[in-house]
PDB file of all heavy atoms in Angstrom:
ATOM      1  N   ASP A 198       5.647  -7.389   8.049  1.00 97.00           N
ATOM      2  CA  ASP A 198       5.874  -7.763   9.451  1.00 97.00           C
ATOM      3  C   ASP A 198       6.033  -6.489  10.294  1.00 97.00           C
ATOM      4  O   ASP A 198       6.671  -5.531   9.895  1.00 97.00           O
ATOM      5  CB  ASP A 198       7.151  -8.581   9.597  1.00 97.00           C
ATOM      6  CG  ASP A 198       7.007  -9.989   9.054  1.00 97.00           C
ATOM      7  OD1 ASP A 198       5.884 -10.546   9.194  1.00 97.00           O
ATOM      8  OD2 ASP A 198       7.971 -10.491   8.467  1.00 97.00           O
ATOM      9  N   TYR A 199       5.442  -6.521  11.477  1.00 97.00           N
ATOM     10  CA  TYR A 199       5.556  -5.448  12.477  1.00 97.00           C
ATOM     11  C   TYR A 199       6.025  -6.041  13.801  1.00 97.00           C
ATOM     12  O   TYR A 199       5.573  -7.100  14.199  1.00 97.00           O
ATOM     13  CB  TYR A 199       4.214  -4.761  12.670  1.00 97.00           C
ATOM     14  CG  TYR A 199       3.766  -3.956  11.470  1.00 97.00           C
ATOM     15  CD1 TYR A 199       2.897  -4.496  10.526  1.00 97.00           C
ATOM     16  CD2 TYR A 199       4.204  -2.657  11.266  1.00 97.00           C
ATOM     17  CE1 TYR A 199       2.491  -3.757   9.436  1.00 97.00           C
ATOM     18  CE2 TYR A 199       3.808  -1.903  10.184  1.00 97.00           C
ATOM     19  CZ  TYR A 199       2.958  -2.487   9.262  1.00 97.00           C
ATOM     20  OH  TYR A 199       2.580  -1.751   8.146  1.00 97.00           O
ATOM     21  N   ASP A 200       6.938  -5.347  14.427  1.00 96.00           N
ATOM     22  CA  ASP A 200       7.416  -5.785  15.735  1.00 96.00           C
ATOM     23  C   ASP A 200       6.411  -5.488  16.835  1.00 96.00           C
ATOM     24  O   ASP A 200       6.358  -6.173  17.834  1.00 96.00           O
ATOM     25  CB  ASP A 200       8.725  -5.086  16.092  1.00 96.00           C
ATOM     26  CG  ASP A 200       9.901  -5.529  15.207  1.00 96.00           C
ATOM     27  OD1 ASP A 200       9.853  -6.678  14.717  1.00 96.00           O
ATOM     28  OD2 ASP A 200      10.792  -4.710  15.013  1.00 96.00           O
ATOM     29  N   ASN A 201       5.553  -4.448  16.617  1.00 96.00           N
ATOM     30  CA  ASN A 201       4.594  -4.108  17.614  1.00 96.00           C
ATOM     31  C   ASN A 201       3.495  -3.248  17.026  1.00 96.00           C
ATOM     32  O   ASN A 201       3.577  -2.798  15.851  1.00 96.00           O
ATOM     33  CB  ASN A 201       5.243  -3.374  18.827  1.00 96.00           C
ATOM     34  CG  ASN A 201       6.056  -2.164  18.327  1.00 96.00           C
ATOM     35  OD1 ASN A 201       5.586  -1.368  17.539  1.00 96.00           O
ATOM     36  ND2 ASN A 201       7.302  -2.104  18.802  1.00 96.00           N
ATOM     37  N   LEU A 202       2.466  -3.000  17.805  1.00 96.00           N
ATOM     38  CA  LEU A 202       1.310  -2.207  17.319  1.00 96.00           C
ATOM     39  C   LEU A 202       1.712  -0.760  17.011  1.00 96.00           C
ATOM     40  O   LEU A 202       1.174  -0.177  16.079  1.00 96.00           O
ATOM     41  CB  LEU A 202       0.185  -2.273  18.344  1.00 96.00           C
ATOM     42  CG  LEU A 202      -1.134  -1.610  17.970  1.00 96.00           C
ATOM     43  CD1 LEU A 202      -1.722  -2.219  16.695  1.00 96.00           C
ATOM     44  CD2 LEU A 202      -2.153  -1.674  19.107  1.00 96.00           C
ATOM     45  N   THR A 203       2.637  -0.205  17.736  1.00 96.00           N
ATOM     46  CA  THR A 203       3.054   1.154  17.522  1.00 96.00           C
ATOM     47  C   THR A 203       3.620   1.351  16.081  1.00 96.00           C
ATOM     48  O   THR A 203       3.315   2.335  15.431  1.00 96.00           O
ATOM     49  CB  THR A 203       4.137   1.586  18.551  1.00 96.00           C
ATOM     50  OG1 THR A 203       3.536   1.453  19.854  1.00 96.00           O
ATOM     51  CG2 THR A 203       4.617   2.983  18.336  1.00 96.00           C
ATOM     52  N   GLN A 204       4.390   0.413  15.589  1.00 97.00           N
ATOM     53  CA  GLN A 204       4.931   0.482  14.250  1.00 97.00           C
ATOM     54  C   GLN A 204       3.762   0.460  13.241  1.00 97.00           C
ATOM     55  O   GLN A 204       3.802   1.231  12.256  1.00 97.00           O
ATOM     56  CB  GLN A 204       5.880  -0.697  13.943  1.00 97.00           C
ATOM     57  CG  GLN A 204       7.233  -0.611  14.550  1.00 97.00           C
ATOM     58  CD  GLN A 204       8.066  -1.779  14.195  1.00 97.00           C
ATOM     59  OE1 GLN A 204       7.597  -2.851  13.738  1.00 97.00           O
ATOM     60  NE2 GLN A 204       9.389  -1.638  14.390  1.00 97.00           N
ATOM     61  N   PHE A 205       2.827  -0.415  13.455  1.00 97.00           N
ATOM     62  CA  PHE A 205       1.660  -0.460  12.593  1.00 97.00           C
ATOM     63  C   PHE A 205       0.877   0.863  12.551  1.00 97.00           C
ATOM     64  O   PHE A 205       0.551   1.363  11.518  1.00 97.00           O
ATOM     65  CB  PHE A 205       0.749  -1.610  13.092  1.00 97.00           C
ATOM     66  CG  PHE A 205      -0.526  -1.838  12.297  1.00 97.00           C
ATOM     67  CD1 PHE A 205      -0.503  -2.561  11.131  1.00 97.00           C
ATOM     68  CD2 PHE A 205      -1.739  -1.244  12.691  1.00 97.00           C
ATOM     69  CE1 PHE A 205      -1.649  -2.759  10.390  1.00 97.00           C
ATOM     70  CE2 PHE A 205      -2.862  -1.431  11.958  1.00 97.00           C
ATOM     71  CZ  PHE A 205      -2.862  -2.187  10.796  1.00 97.00           C
ATOM     72  N   ILE A 206       0.665   1.388  13.751  1.00 97.00           N
ATOM     73  CA  ILE A 206      -0.044   2.660  13.869  1.00 97.00           C
ATOM     74  C   ILE A 206       0.702   3.771  13.131  1.00 97.00           C
ATOM     75  O   ILE A 206       0.093   4.587  12.429  1.00 97.00           O
ATOM     76  CB  ILE A 206      -0.279   3.064  15.361  1.00 97.00           C
ATOM     77  CG1 ILE A 206      -1.328   2.113  15.966  1.00 97.00           C
ATOM     78  CG2 ILE A 206      -0.671   4.527  15.517  1.00 97.00           C
ATOM     79  CD1 ILE A 206      -1.454   2.221  17.464  1.00 97.00           C
ATOM     80  N   ASN A 207       2.027   3.817  13.285  1.00 97.00           N
ATOM     81  CA  ASN A 207       2.816   4.840  12.592  1.00 97.00           C
ATOM     82  C   ASN A 207       2.660   4.750  11.068  1.00 97.00           C
ATOM     83  O   ASN A 207       2.673   5.757  10.390  1.00 97.00           O
ATOM     84  CB  ASN A 207       4.289   4.725  12.976  1.00 97.00           C
ATOM     85  CG  ASN A 207       4.533   5.211  14.394  1.00 97.00           C
ATOM     86  OD1 ASN A 207       3.754   5.963  14.978  1.00 97.00           O
ATOM     87  ND2 ASN A 207       5.623   4.737  15.004  1.00 97.00           N
ATOM     88  N   ASP A 208       2.487   3.534  10.543  1.00 97.00           N
ATOM     89  CA  ASP A 208       2.286   3.365   9.120  1.00 97.00           C
ATOM     90  C   ASP A 208       0.887   3.829   8.697  1.00 97.00           C
ATOM     91  O   ASP A 208       0.677   4.138   7.502  1.00 97.00           O
ATOM     92  CB  ASP A 208       2.428   1.894   8.720  1.00 97.00           C
ATOM     93  CG  ASP A 208       3.819   1.545   8.312  1.00 97.00           C
ATOM     94  OD1 ASP A 208       4.708   2.418   8.365  1.00 97.00           O
ATOM     95  OD2 ASP A 208       4.056   0.367   7.952  1.00 97.00           O
ATOM     96  N   LEU A 209      -0.038   3.910   9.615  1.00 97.00           N
ATOM     97  CA  LEU A 209      -1.431   4.337   9.217  1.00 97.00           C
ATOM     98  C   LEU A 209      -1.540   5.839   9.065  1.00 97.00           C
ATOM     99  O   LEU A 209      -2.419   6.318   8.292  1.00 97.00           O
ATOM    100  CB  LEU A 209      -2.400   3.917  10.360  1.00 97.00           C
ATOM    101  CG  LEU A 209      -2.682   2.436  10.519  1.00 97.00           C
ATOM    102  CD1 LEU A 209      -3.571   2.230  11.787  1.00 97.00           C
ATOM    103  CD2 LEU A 209      -3.318   1.839   9.283  1.00 97.00           C
ATOM    104  N   ILE A 210      -0.709   6.612   9.688  1.00 97.00           N
ATOM    105  CA  ILE A 210      -0.826   8.047   9.690  1.00 97.00           C
ATOM    106  C   ILE A 210      -0.745   8.612   8.281  1.00 97.00           C
ATOM    107  O   ILE A 210       0.110   8.245   7.547  1.00 97.00           O
ATOM    108  CB  ILE A 210       0.234   8.728  10.622  1.00 97.00           C
ATOM    109  CG1 ILE A 210       0.115   8.164  12.035  1.00 97.00           C
ATOM    110  CG2 ILE A 210       0.121  10.235  10.608  1.00 97.00           C
ATOM    111  CD1 ILE A 210      -1.274   8.322  12.709  1.00 97.00           C
ATOM    112  N   ASN A 211      -1.681   9.529   7.963  1.00 97.00           N
ATOM    113  CA  ASN A 211      -1.798  10.177   6.664  1.00 97.00           C
ATOM    114  C   ASN A 211      -2.233   9.228   5.531  1.00 97.00           C
ATOM    115  O   ASN A 211      -2.207   9.632   4.366  1.00 97.00           O
ATOM    116  CB  ASN A 211      -0.563  10.943   6.252  1.00 97.00           C
ATOM    117  CG  ASN A 211      -0.373  12.171   7.077  1.00 97.00           C
ATOM    118  OD1 ASN A 211      -1.331  12.807   7.456  1.00 97.00           O
ATOM    119  ND2 ASN A 211       0.872  12.459   7.390  1.00 97.00           N
ATOM    120  N   LYS A 212      -2.706   8.040   5.823  1.00 97.00           N
ATOM    121  CA  LYS A 212      -3.200   7.132   4.817  1.00 97.00           C
ATOM    122  C   LYS A 212      -4.671   7.493   4.582  1.00 97.00           C
ATOM    123  O   LYS A 212      -5.445   7.757   5.498  1.00 97.00           O
ATOM    124  CB  LYS A 212      -3.101   5.661   5.245  1.00 97.00           C
ATOM    125  CG  LYS A 212      -1.671   5.191   5.396  1.00 97.00           C
ATOM    126  CD  LYS A 212      -0.942   5.139   4.129  1.00 97.00           C
ATOM    127  CE  LYS A 212       0.363   4.472   4.195  1.00 97.00           C
ATOM    128  NZ  LYS A 212       1.486   5.196   4.769  1.00 97.00           N
ATOM    129  N   PRO A 213      -5.093   7.448   3.308  1.00 98.00           N
ATOM    130  CA  PRO A 213      -6.468   7.796   2.958  1.00 98.00           C
ATOM    131  C   PRO A 213      -7.411   6.597   3.179  1.00 98.00           C
ATOM    132  O   PRO A 213      -7.043   5.456   2.945  1.00 98.00           O
ATOM    133  CB  PRO A 213      -6.416   8.130   1.497  1.00 98.00           C
ATOM    134  CG  PRO A 213      -5.285   7.340   0.989  1.00 98.00           C
ATOM    135  CD  PRO A 213      -4.275   7.241   2.094  1.00 98.00           C
ATOM    136  N   VAL A 214      -8.605   6.867   3.623  1.00 98.00           N
ATOM    137  CA  VAL A 214      -9.664   5.872   3.779  1.00 98.00           C
ATOM    138  C   VAL A 214     -11.015   6.530   3.494  1.00 98.00           C
ATOM    139  O   VAL A 214     -11.097   7.750   3.446  1.00 98.00           O
ATOM    140  CB  VAL A 214      -9.700   5.245   5.242  1.00 98.00           C
ATOM    141  CG1 VAL A 214      -8.455   4.416   5.506  1.00 98.00           C
ATOM    142  CG2 VAL A 214      -9.858   6.343   6.255  1.00 98.00           C
ATOM    143  N   ARG A 215     -12.032   5.700   3.284  1.00 98.00           N
ATOM    144  CA  ARG A 215     -13.385   6.206   3.121  1.00 98.00           C
ATOM    145  C   ARG A 215     -14.182   5.708   4.300  1.00 98.00           C
ATOM    146  O   ARG A 215     -14.326   4.500   4.534  1.00 98.00           O
ATOM    147  CB  ARG A 215     -13.983   5.693   1.780  1.00 98.00           C
ATOM    148  CG  ARG A 215     -15.365   6.209   1.501  1.00 98.00           C
ATOM    149  CD  ARG A 215     -15.846   5.863   0.102  1.00 98.00           C
ATOM    150  NE  ARG A 215     -15.303   4.618  -0.446  1.00 98.00           N
ATOM    151  CZ  ARG A 215     -15.925   3.433  -0.354  1.00 98.00           C
ATOM    152  NH1 ARG A 215     -17.148   3.362   0.133  1.00 98.00           N
ATOM    153  NH2 ARG A 215     -15.387   2.351  -0.865  1.00 98.00           N
ATOM    154  N   ILE A 216     -14.780   6.656   5.022  1.00 98.00           N
ATOM    155  CA  ILE A 216     -15.527   6.333   6.204  1.00 98.00           C
ATOM    156  C   ILE A 216     -17.014   6.411   5.867  1.00 98.00           C
ATOM    157  O   ILE A 216     -17.463   7.364   5.290  1.00 98.00           O
ATOM    158  CB  ILE A 216     -15.219   7.393   7.311  1.00 98.00           C
ATOM    159  CG1 ILE A 216     -13.771   7.397   7.685  1.00 98.00           C
ATOM    160  CG2 ILE A 216     -16.119   7.164   8.574  1.00 98.00           C
ATOM    161  CD1 ILE A 216     -13.268   6.101   8.262  1.00 98.00           C
ATOM    162  N   THR A 217     -17.748   5.393   6.289  1.00 98.00           N
ATOM    163  CA  THR A 217     -19.221   5.442   6.178  1.00 98.00           C
ATOM    164  C   THR A 217     -19.693   5.778   7.598  1.00 98.00           C
ATOM    165  O   THR A 217     -19.485   5.012   8.525  1.00 98.00           O
ATOM    166  CB  THR A 217     -19.809   4.090   5.717  1.00 98.00           C
ATOM    167  OG1 THR A 217     -19.258   3.822   4.391  1.00 98.00           O
ATOM    168  CG2 THR A 217     -21.318   4.128   5.629  1.00 98.00           C
ATOM    169  N   LEU A 218     -20.317   6.921   7.672  1.00 98.00           N
ATOM    170  CA  LEU A 218     -20.813   7.428   8.984  1.00 98.00           C
ATOM    171  C   LEU A 218     -22.271   7.088   9.166  1.00 98.00           C
ATOM    172  O   LEU A 218     -23.072   7.216   8.199  1.00 98.00           O
ATOM    173  CB  LEU A 218     -20.575   8.953   9.021  1.00 98.00           C
ATOM    174  CG  LEU A 218     -20.643   9.612  10.398  1.00 98.00           C
ATOM    175  CD1 LEU A 218     -19.554   9.105  11.252  1.00 98.00           C
ATOM    176  CD2 LEU A 218     -20.552  11.087  10.205  1.00 98.00           C
ATOM    177  N   ASN A 219     -22.603   6.692  10.351  1.00 97.00           N
ATOM    178  CA  ASN A 219     -23.990   6.375  10.683  1.00 97.00           C
ATOM    179  C   ASN A 219     -24.324   7.195  11.949  1.00 97.00           C
ATOM    180  O   ASN A 219     -23.481   7.883  12.517  1.00 97.00           O
ATOM    181  CB  ASN A 219     -24.155   4.880  10.934  1.00 97.00           C
ATOM    182  CG  ASN A 219     -25.555   4.394  10.806  1.00 97.00           C
ATOM    183  OD1 ASN A 219     -26.443   5.117  10.408  1.00 97.00           O
ATOM    184  ND2 ASN A 219     -25.788   3.131  11.116  1.00 97.00           N
ATOM    185  N   HIS A 220     -25.542   7.092  12.435  1.00 97.00           N
ATOM    186  CA  HIS A 220     -25.923   7.760  13.716  1.00 97.00           C
ATOM    187  C   HIS A 220     -26.429   6.653  14.669  1.00 97.00           C
ATOM    188  O   HIS A 220     -26.934   5.623  14.227  1.00 97.00           O
ATOM    189  CB  HIS A 220     -27.046   8.762  13.491  1.00 97.00           C
ATOM    190  CG  HIS A 220     -26.631   9.918  12.720  1.00 97.00           C
ATOM    191  ND1 HIS A 220     -27.534  10.798  12.152  1.00 97.00           N
ATOM    192  CD2 HIS A 220     -25.392  10.411  12.386  1.00 97.00           C
ATOM    193  CE1 HIS A 220     -26.845  11.735  11.508  1.00 97.00           C
ATOM    194  NE2 HIS A 220     -25.594  11.553  11.643  1.00 97.00           N
ATOM    195  N   ARG A 221     -26.254   6.897  15.955  1.00 96.00           N
ATOM    196  CA  ARG A 221     -26.808   6.023  16.950  1.00 96.00           C
ATOM    197  C   ARG A 221     -27.317   6.840  18.112  1.00 96.00           C
ATOM    198  O   ARG A 221     -26.886   7.958  18.344  1.00 96.00           O
ATOM    199  CB  ARG A 221     -25.783   5.011  17.423  1.00 96.00           C
ATOM    200  CG  ARG A 221     -24.674   5.599  18.257  1.00 96.00           C
ATOM    201  CD  ARG A 221     -23.699   4.559  18.723  1.00 96.00           C
ATOM    202  NE  ARG A 221     -22.621   5.210  19.491  1.00 96.00           N
ATOM    203  CZ  ARG A 221     -22.252   4.844  20.688  1.00 96.00           C
ATOM    204  NH1 ARG A 221     -22.866   3.829  21.292  1.00 96.00           N
ATOM    205  NH2 ARG A 221     -21.284   5.491  21.308  1.00 96.00           N
ATOM    206  N   GLU A 222     -28.275   6.288  18.854  1.00 95.00           N
ATOM    207  CA  GLU A 222     -28.773   6.906  20.037  1.00 95.00           C
ATOM    208  C   GLU A 222     -28.027   6.432  21.267  1.00 95.00           C
ATOM    209  O   GLU A 222     -27.836   5.218  21.420  1.00 95.00           O
ATOM    210  CB  GLU A 222     -30.296   6.645  20.210  1.00 95.00           C
ATOM    211  CG  GLU A 222     -31.139   7.219  19.099  1.00 95.00           C
ATOM    212  CD  GLU A 222     -31.152   8.740  19.092  1.00 95.00           C
ATOM    213  OE1 GLU A 222     -31.160   9.393  20.185  1.00 95.00           O
ATOM    214  OE2 GLU A 222     -31.082   9.299  17.969  1.00 95.00           O
TER     215      GLU A 222
END
């Protein structure tokens, strides 16, 4: 449970993820 989006965002910091990068015009 999160009281707000800010709490959620704070939990995201320094978490690892894998990004698939693409290109667009």
Side-chain angles (χ1 to χ4, degrees):
D198 289 324
Y199 291 95
D200 292 332
N201 53 50
L202 184 60
T203 301
Q204 285 181 343
F205 179 84
I206 288 169
N207 288 338
D208 269 2
L209 292 174
I210 303 303
N211 288 326
K212 295 293 189 284
V214 293
R215 184 171 30 96
I216 301 298
T217 300
L218 195 64
N219 203 7
H220 293 164
R221 71 179 177 127
E222 294 296 320

